[in-house]
Every structure is written in structure tokens, then in C-alpha cells.
Amino acid sequence: MTRAFNKSSQTNTRRHLRRNLPRAEVLLWAKLRGRQLAGLKFRRQYGVNRYIVDFYCPAARLAVEVDGDSHFSDGAERRDAKRQTFIESFGIRFVRCTNDDVYDNIDGVLQEIERVAELRLSKTDPPQSPLG
């Protein structure tokens, strides 16, 4: 069986991304690290096959993506949708927010992450549409 998570071939890329987090990810990580959110363990820059998600909670199989400016360029929405659909095929649910969401309403972002994680852990999570 091929390893699908945190492939060793991506170690240097994931390490580089962790060391060079955008400001919004730094702020969100400060609130997620150390089981601060509902006692949930999150990991930064987690590999799922050929892709890397910003944050991942293994217990809830939940990916958190912070969309910066690059996600709003030409063709980015289509690429993001393809990437998200592929990652969801592993049974992973997405919560997406923007840099501005983190800057302007980090408490709301955290509430949404916690709400979705609790649904996932309670097994009452409804099926997700292709784009969340």
C-alpha cells in the first residue's frame, strides 16, 4: 500500500512552508496549537497524497485552509476545487476561510472549526457538497 499522508518526499517542502507561514496562518496557528481549541490536536502543513493542507486535525479528519491572495487569481478557484475534491476522497472535511476572516473575525473562524470538528467527532456530519 502506498503511503498517502506526509510522504517523505515532501518533508523539505512541508518544513519550508512551516518556517514561512503567512501572517494569517501564524495568527490562526497560535490559537490551534497545543490543543487550545476544544482539546483537539492540529498539525501544520500536513501532506495528503501530493497536496499539503494548511492545518489538519487527524481525530476529526478535518482540514483547515486559509485562502490568501493566490487563491483569488485566474484559474485558482478551479484548481482549489479539484484539489479539495481529491482530498475529500480520503474522507477529509474542509473548513475554508480567508486571510481577512482570520484578521477581522478569528473568533468566528475558531467557532466554525470547532463546530465542524464536533460534528465530525459525533458522527452526525452530513455529506459535504463538492465545494463545502
Side-chain angles (χ1 to χ4, degrees), residues 35 37-42 56-63 91-93 95 111-126:
R35 299 181 188 265
L37 184 68
L40 296 167
K41 170 112 176 125
F42 282 87
Y56 181 67
C57 176
R61 298 182 64 86
L62 175 65
I92 296 170
R93 175 83 183 254
V95 169
Q111 286 173 355
E112 178 64 6
I113 294 169
E114 184 175 1
R115 183 189 71 77
V116 174
E118 286 176 355
L119 285 172
R120 299 283 293 175
L121 292 169
S122 69
K123 308 290 188 227
T124 60
D125 189 33

Side-chain angles (χ1 to χ4, degrees), residues 9-117:
S9 62
Q10 294 177 322
T11 299
N12 289 334
T13 302
R14 291 191 321 272
R15 183 177 296 135
H16 174 78
L17 290 170
R18 282 192 303 272
R19 290 178 178 166
N20 296 284
L21 291 177
R23 182 173 162 250
E25 290 182 28
V26 170
L27 294 172
L28 186 55
W29 179 239
K31 302 290 186 177
L32 295 176
R33 68 184 300 178
R35 299 181 188 265
Q36 292 179 77
L37 184 68
L40 296 167
K41 170 112 176 125
F42 282 87
R43 299 180 185 280
R44 288 182 298 167
Q45 306 304 328
Y46 191 82
V48 179
N49 200 281
R50 65 183 176 267
Y51 298 109
I52 299 172
V53 296
D54 295 335
F55 303 103
Y56 181 67
C57 176
R61 298 182 64 86
L62 175 65
V64 178
E65 283 289 301
V66 181
D67 293 343
D69 293 340
S70 66
H71 292 269
F72 302 105
S73 62
D74 288 339
E77 187 175 331
R78 184 177 39 79
R79 285 189 304 274
D80 282 347
K82 179 181 174 184
R83 176 180 177 269
Q84 182 170 332
T85 299
F86 179 81
I87 292 170
E88 286 173 342
S89 73
F90 288 87
I92 296 170
R93 175 83 183 254
F94 266 72
V95 169
R96 285 189 171 277
C97 61
T98 65
N99 286 351
D100 289 339
D101 293 334
V102 173
Y103 300 144
D104 300 335
N105 186 19
I106 195 164
D107 290 335
V109 170
L110 293 168
Q111 286 173 355
E112 178 64 6
I113 294 169
E114 184 175 1
R115 183 189 71 77
V116 174

